[in-house]
Amino acid sequence: VLEVTVNCRVLTTGYSQERKFSGPLEPMTFSIFEGQEASQVIFQFKAKPPAVNFKLTGETDGIFQIQSDGLLYHNKALDRETRAVHRLQVSTLDAQGATVEGPVPITIEVKDINDNRPMFLQQKYEGSVRQNSRPGKPFMYVNATDPDDPATPNGQLLYEIVIQLPMINNIMYFQINNKTGGISLTVDGSRELDPSKNPSYSLVVSVKDMGGQNENSFSDSTSVDIIVKENIWKAPEPVEIVENSTDPHPIKITQVQWNEPGARYSLTDKEKGPKFPFSIDQDGSIYVTQPLDREEKDSYVFYTTATDEGGRWLSVPLEIRVKVKDINDNPPTCPSAVTVFEVQENENIGSNIGTFIAHDEDEENTVNSVLEYRIVDQIPKFPKEGLFLVQTYSGVFQLAAQSLKKQDTPQYNLTVEVADKDFKTLCDVQIHVIDINDQIPIFEKSDYGILTLAEDTAVGSTILTIQATDADEPFTGSSKILYRITQGDSDGRLGVDTDPQTNAGYVIIKKPLDFEATAIHDIVFQAENPEPLVYGVNYNTSSSATFKLIVTDVNEAPVFSQRIYQAKVSEGVAVGTKVGNVTARDPENLDISYSLRDDRRGWLKIDPVTGQISTRAPVDREAESMYVVHVVATEIGGSYLSSIASFHLTLSDVNDNPPRLAKDDAGLFLCHPLQTTGSVIFEATDDDQQSFLGPQFTFSLDSEFLQNNWEVSKINGTHAKLSTKHTHFEERVYNVPIRIKDGGRPPLERVVSLPVTFCKCVDGSCFLPAGHHSGMPTVGMAVGILLTTFLVIGIILAVVFIRIKKNGGKDNVESAQASEAQPLKN
């Protein structure tokens, strides 16, 4: 097969411009397929007198010859891989050998045939990959070459993994970019690879020419051995930082590392505190940026994330725990300015007076917070020193030497030293000697009668005042009165508060009264002192009193078993599926009817008797991931009172939304005419819930007929690039059908139409003349419309003018006649 180009015009093999094999000597280009048999005629040139012979020079390589009659031919088969273009010169000579015409350039283009097989550069490849590496990101490449023309299908190579060993559950863990030979993990491989189970894998990779589309294509194969390395993206051990460090900051405390270089690291404070004294650099080193104070905050929890260049997570964040290690930087503190204890006179030696508890802000249960107590002074020292002692570690005060008498000394002032291992603090303690508790409280009356209250009486209401008196020394533990209810209130609905000045007891409602639970309360009050009675004295019936409380019924609304009910279902559940159940109880034991409120989308229904909630229409997570309705429980009969509870339905995702273009890509354009192949980038999305790795879409042309003009290559999980495969495009809009498939189970796909405009460009922007816009009138149309408008207006004005002129003459005659017939009026 031979193609001939003459002055940019292609001639069919065997014909000149006059549809012959011959023609005048002029610059010409011939295209000849390689591998054809020898002695093939190319063209016969005609000489102009006085030329009688032809001469051939240039890159003939001993292949091309020309006869004296101008017949150009090749005597050997051509080989494009040896020389793709032969540049020849043809001249005509006269009888004396002098040049008449020329030399004229003749170009022979050798067209490729698929006569070479692709070959891998290596018979065996070795690589490694970290477990949990990002799917789709190549960790190694295999490369093959083919001497055939890469601009033709003969040299277009397609890579494919044909064997994976071991193959677990028939799932491919590895994938290959069929154009570049880049090997990466699949989503399953990123999730499942584990060096403790299978430390290595073997692949067989094939390469085919002809883009793998021809059954006669050549192929080659190679083996690939892959070592699986342990995931190094792991949370480090908890870190301990000594508080109030004086070392220069920032200080490196730990480090994280992603499985591959190029990750970008950041920190997120889990607790969202007012300050966050940590930072991370792009090597994954984590620093504390300032001294920490354990007493201000004793621990920190935060997360570190690794993202790609687009800001997408490469894996789940790692939790970093920091504990602030205590140093003894706080002295003990006294519980109050003065601590007061009481001791009865004639108390036995060894009796406990009270417990003194100091505080230390340092860490509990460490040597820094262990306190020791010691009495260093006693005032007065009468009748002797050392009347009291304190337990060294517990702080318990005891009477040490002898019984005390109030008439001798009613009060002792002690100075107590509290010490940790580095600090000491002095605290003041007062010990009051009080009269012995030999008198019991006596109620002013033993029966406080009957009180009737509605069950909805407000909590906190004071319903009764009781009073007992005590003859012991006023304002001491011997005379102070504490009231408690010993009978008739097992649910603790009532309480009694004591007035410290008068010892009056105020009976208060602590919990709501409940007629249905208890309608009558027979209450018994007991009055007691905080100080123990002396030996031989006991409380008797004078220290108790009775009271009857009658609770009356109030119609109450039903009560739900809980305020908020929660349930979770898949958005793909069938209509009629039970999703939850609510229960309510009416205090008066009336029947209850259930209904729904705020069911805006009409997704749910409820059984009015049982409270069972089920779907009555398909639910859609993408419309609302948590659907909140209110359940109303209404009593049947009575006052038809009702109460409300919330029902929260969480919808889990199913893959029910096919991919789509993320935005209107009508603005995609390429400048016309193309100087070289061009490309545009587009983005896909879908409305389903995505994993932490984000969407994982695959992209392809919808028709193989488009592959001569376009190709689609994936950039990442959401973006792809549409590239032209040549430059011969018209200046118009091309709607390219793209098939987008998601990574769901089962996967969904959609064919979208991606508009790409080829247009003239001005300053890098697409320029479309106004005449090219649909719906816009041309200049000629606009002028025609304008002239037509003026013509109509002129005709209307002419008609009006003529009518006015006629009516004006007639009116003048009539007016004159009227003037003659009628006299003037005053």
Side-chain angles (χ1 to χ4, degrees):
V1 179
L2 172 67
E3 292 181 1
V4 184
T5 303
V6 182
N7 293 333
C8 299
R9 287 176 289 183
V10 178
L11 300 179
T12 305
T13 301
Y15 297 96
S16 65
Q17 288 175 302
E18 293 82 20
R19 298 189 65 77
K20 297 180 179 179
F21 279 112
S22 61
L25 179 62
E26 58 185 2
M28 301 183 75
T29 298
F30 300 91
S31 296
I32 305 173
F33 279 101
E34 65 175 329
Q36 291 189 12
E37 295 179 0
S39 302
Q40 295 288 321
V41 174
I42 300 174
F43 197 76
Q44 183 166 19
F45 296 99
K46 293 181 178 180
K48 296 179 180 179
V52 296
N53 199 3
F54 286 83
K55 179 182 177 181
L56 180 65
T57 59
E59 299 170 343
T60 63
D61 295 346
I63 299 174
F64 299 97
Q65 293 182 344
I66 192 166
Q67 295 180 358
S68 59
D69 60 357
L71 188 66
L72 177 67
Y73 65 96
H74 61 89
N75 57 25
K76 294 180 183 178
L78 303 181
D79 184 7
R80 191 201 67 85
E81 287 70 45
T82 301
R83 190 188 295 274
V85 178
H86 295 263
R87 293 175 175 82
L88 310 178
Q89 295 86 38
V90 176
S91 305
T92 59
L93 307 176
D94 62 14
Q96 288 73 37
T99 301
V100 178
E101 289 184 275
V104 174
I106 303 298
T107 302
I108 307 294
E109 295 176 347
V110 184
K111 298 187 70 175
D112 189 47
I113 64 173
N114 191 27
D115 57 348
N116 292 277
R117 63 175 295 195
M119 297 287 289
F120 279 103
L121 301 183
Q122 299 174 215
Q123 290 301 310
K124 184 176 184 179
Y125 289 83
E126 295 180 347
S128 63
V129 63
R130 298 273 183 189
Q131 67 178 137
N132 304 127
S133 291
R134 177 182 168 188
K137 183 174 183 180
F139 60 86
M140 67 178 296
Y141 287 84
V142 295
N143 298 100
T145 59
D146 190 320
D148 289 321
D149 187 357
T152 69
N154 303 329
Q156 292 179 1
L157 305 183
L158 182 134
Y159 298 93
E160 181 182 9
I161 297 175
V162 294
I163 297 176
Q164 171 189 295
L165 297 175
M167 175 76 80
I168 301 170
N169 296 328
N170 203 31
I171 296 175
M172 290 295 294
Y173 290 164
F174 301 91
Q175 59 188 342
I176 190 168
N177 185 306
N178 60 10
K179 299 284 195 304
T180 66
I183 299 177
S184 61
L185 295 181
T186 63
V187 174
D188 290 313
S190 175
R191 184 169 52 243
E192 300 296 339
L193 279 189
D194 186 348
S196 64
K197 297 179 181 178
N198 291 291
S200 64
Y201 288 80
S202 295
L203 306 179
V204 174
V205 178
S206 74
V207 62
K208 295 181 179 180
D209 60 16
M210 302 295 289
Q213 302 298 316
N214 193 310
E215 62 181 8
N216 297 320
S217 60
F218 294 115
S219 65
D220 190 21
S221 62
T222 188
S223 63
V224 181
D225 292 337
I226 300 173
I227 303 298
V228 181
K229 295 183 178 180
E230 184 181 7
N231 178 25
I232 58 176
W233 180 246
K234 296 181 178 179
E237 294 294 323
V239 179
E240 281 195 353
I241 301 177
V242 176
E243 67 172 328
N244 299 321
S245 171
T246 58
D247 294 337
H249 286 72
I251 300 172
K252 181 178 177 179
I253 57 173
T254 189
Q255 186 172 13
V256 296
Q257 184 178 352
W258 178 241
N259 295 308
E260 303 160 4
R264 300 179 181 181
Y265 303 101
S266 60
L267 299 180
T268 303
D269 183 11
K270 177 181 179 181
E271 298 158 325
K272 308 296 183 185
K275 68 177 183 178
F276 184 64
F278 301 95
S279 65
I280 189 170
D281 64 21
Q282 292 313 302
D283 292 328
S285 297
I286 299 175
Y287 301 85
V288 59
T289 58
Q290 64 188 57
L292 305 181
D293 185 358
R294 192 205 68 84
E295 286 70 45
E296 178 181 324
K297 187 171 177 61
D298 62 358
S299 65
Y300 295 84
V301 179
F302 54 92
Y303 293 104
T304 179
T305 56
T307 58
D308 62 15
E309 61 278 0
R312 291 173 289 273
W313 282 4
L314 295 172
S315 184
V316 294
L318 302 180
E319 184 178 81
I320 310 296
R321 291 186 172 273
V322 175
K323 178 182 179 182
V324 184
K325 191 173 181 180
D326 187 45
I327 62 173
N328 191 26
D329 57 346
N330 291 280
T333 58
C334 304
S336 59
V338 178
T339 301
V340 178
F341 294 130
E342 291 181 344
V343 58
Q344 293 187 42
E345 57 181 352
N346 299 325
E347 194 81 48
N348 294 328
I349 294 174
S351 297
N352 288 352
I353 300 173
T355 301
F356 182 80
I357 300 176
H359 301 286
D360 193 309
E361 294 296 328
D362 291 313
E363 186 174 1
E364 293 182 2
N365 303 317
T366 67
V367 67
N368 298 328
S369 61
V370 174
L371 303 181
E372 298 182 11
Y373 301 91
R374 184 169 68 94
I375 297 173
V376 296
D377 193 19
Q378 170 191 311
I379 298 175
K381 297 178 174 56
F382 179 84
K384 57 190 296 188
E385 267 193 285
L387 291 175
F388 309 95
L389 65 83
V390 61
Q391 299 289 340
T392 304
Y393 293 105
S394 66
V396 174
F397 272 77
Q398 294 176 291
L399 190 60
Q402 65 181 56
S403 297
L404 305 177
K405 292 187 180 293
K406 181 178 179 180
Q407 63 185 17
D408 294 336
T409 304
Q411 177 178 307
Y412 291 89
N413 296 313
L414 306 180
T415 301
V416 178
E417 178 189 89
V418 186
D420 61 21
K421 70 185 186 72
D422 296 311
F423 299 98
K424 295 179 179 179
T425 302
L426 297 179
C427 300
D428 293 327
V429 175
Q430 285 184 358
I431 298 181
H432 296 171
V433 181
I434 63 173
D435 185 21
I436 58 174
N437 188 15
D438 56 357
Q439 300 294 320
I440 64 172
I442 298 175
F443 273 100
E444 290 182 343
K445 53 183 178 179
S446 60
D447 187 352
Y448 282 88
I450 300 173
L451 179 63
T452 300
L453 294 175
E455 64 177 329
D456 61 352
T457 303
V459 171
S461 301
T462 300
I463 61 172
L464 180 68
T465 300
I466 57 178
Q467 182 73 60
T469 58
D470 193 301
D472 287 313
E473 180 182 357
F475 306 109
T476 67
S478 298
S479 62
K480 182 179 179 179
I481 298 176
L482 300 179
Y483 299 96
R484 62 189 181 92
I485 298 174
T486 59
Q487 294 181 30
D489 185 28
S490 58
D491 294 329
R493 300 183 186 278
L494 304 179
V496 185
D497 294 340
T498 301
D499 186 325
Q501 301 298 319
T502 64
N503 273 341
Y506 302 105
V507 182
I508 298 172
I509 297 177
K510 299 289 187 181
K511 297 180 182 179
L513 302 177
D514 188 350
F515 169 82
E516 288 73 26
T518 307
I520 299 175
H521 297 264
D522 291 315
I523 305 295
V524 176
F525 299 111
Q526 178 71 37
E528 298 174 344
N529 303 127
E531 286 290 336
L533 296 170
V534 298
Y535 180 76
V537 178
N538 297 299
Y539 296 109
N540 55 37
T541 56
S542 299
S543 300
S544 63
T546 60
F547 163 65
K548 177 171 287 192
L549 174 62
I550 298 176
V551 180
T552 60
D553 186 31
V554 173
N555 189 20
E556 299 168 277
V559 179
F560 279 97
S561 59
Q562 55 195 77
R563 293 177 58 190
I564 298 176
Y565 295 83
Q566 294 179 319
K568 183 176 181 180
V569 296
S570 168
E571 64 172 328
V573 297
V575 173
T577 300
K578 175 184 175 182
V579 297
N581 210 94
V582 299
T583 56
R585 180 188 62 84
D586 185 72
E588 287 75 41
N589 293 320
L590 295 175
D591 291 335
I592 292 175
S593 174
Y594 298 98
S595 61
L596 293 181
R597 183 182 296 176
D598 301 326
D599 183 16
R600 305 177 310 283
R601 299 185 181 274
W603 285 350
L604 303 177
K605 62 181 178 180
I606 189 169
D607 188 302
V609 177
T610 65
Q612 176 177 301
I613 299 175
S614 55
T615 60
R616 69 172 179 178
V619 294
D620 184 6
R621 189 204 66 84
E622 287 70 42
E624 209 156 345
S625 60
M626 177 180 284
Y627 191 53
V628 179
V629 298
H630 293 98
V631 183
V632 181
T634 304
E635 63 182 15
I636 300 175
S639 301
Y640 289 93
L641 298 178
S642 62
S643 57
I644 298 176
S646 295
F647 182 75
H648 295 185
L649 180 62
T650 301
L651 301 177
S652 58
D653 190 46
V654 297
N655 192 32
D656 58 349
N657 289 276
R660 57 180 172 82
L661 292 176
K663 54 188 176 182
D664 179 12
D665 284 309
L668 298 178
F669 70 91
L670 292 170
C671 295
H672 187 273
L674 290 179
Q675 302 302 316
T676 182
T677 56
S679 61
V680 294
I681 295 175
F682 61 96
E683 181 183 2
T685 186
D686 72 20
D687 298 315
D688 291 312
Q689 187 175 19
Q690 304 299 334
S691 69
F692 67 88
L693 293 175
Q696 295 297 319
F697 299 121
T698 57
F699 305 86
S700 62
L701 294 170
D702 183 47
S703 172
E704 61 182 18
F705 299 110
L706 299 170
Q707 295 178 358
N708 293 329
N709 299 326
W710 307 90
E711 69 175 346
V712 176
S713 55
K714 181 176 178 180
I715 298 175
N716 54 34
T718 57
H719 290 73
K721 180 168 63 177
L722 177 65
S723 305
T724 65
K725 298 182 76 172
H726 57 77
T727 60
H728 310 305
F729 288 87
E730 299 177 7
E731 185 180 358
R732 64 179 180 88
V733 178
Y734 289 80
N735 290 299
V736 184
I738 306 292
R739 184 178 299 276
I740 308 175
K741 181 185 291 186
D742 63 23
R745 294 186 178 179
L748 295 179
E749 64 180 33
R750 171 182 283 169
V751 176
V752 299
S753 180
L754 185 69
V756 181
T757 302
F758 287 80
C759 56
K760 289 185 173 59
C761 291
V762 178
D763 296 331
S765 299
C766 184
F767 174 75
L768 292 175
H772 291 182
H773 289 279
S774 61
M776 295 287 291
T778 63
V779 173
M781 292 172 61
V783 171
I785 292 171
L786 190 60
L787 291 175
T788 302
T789 303
F790 286 151
L791 179 60
V792 171
I793 293 174
I795 293 172
I796 294 173
L797 290 176
V799 170
V800 171
F801 178 76
I802 292 171
R803 291 180 62 88
I804 291 175
K805 189 173 182 180
K806 288 182 177 181
N807 291 337
K810 182 178 181 179
D811 290 344
N812 289 337
V813 173
E814 293 176 352
S815 177
Q817 293 174 348
S819 298
E820 295 175 359
Q822 299 178 4
L824 296 175
K825 297 181 179 180
N826 292 330

